Amino acid sequence: MIVIGIIFIFFGFFMVAIPAVLWDLTERWKSKEARDPSTYYIWSSRIGGVFLILIGIAEIVNVFI
């Protein structure tokens, strides 16, 4: 469970810190006109990243309780 928590925290920080790179890897190929991610995509990725970080912390804390 600790490993899963660490993975969630890692991906959560990735989503919060550099959502444009995540967009390049996963969404850019779907549109020919899009050059940059939308503001909505950036904010929703950051919010999802925060949730992943919280879930990762909860997984690690759950092991020690």
Side-chain angles (χ1 to χ4, degrees), residues 26-51:
T26 60
E27 303 292 329
R28 185 174 188 158
W29 63 273
K30 294 179 183 178
S31 175
K32 291 182 180 182
E33 290 92 26
R35 303 243 186 267
D36 294 324
S38 66
T39 304
Y40 175 75
Y41 181 85
I42 289 174
W43 279 106
S44 63
S45 293
R46 287 183 175 158
I47 291 170
V50 169
F51 282 123

Side-chain angles (χ1 to χ4, degrees), residues 5-28:
I6 291 171
I7 290 171
F8 278 13
I9 291 170
F10 173 76
F11 282 114
F13 277 125
F14 182 73
M15 289 174 70
V16 169
I18 45 177
V21 173
L22 181 66
W23 179 81
D24 279 338
L25 295 174
T26 60
E27 303 292 329
R28 185 174 188 158

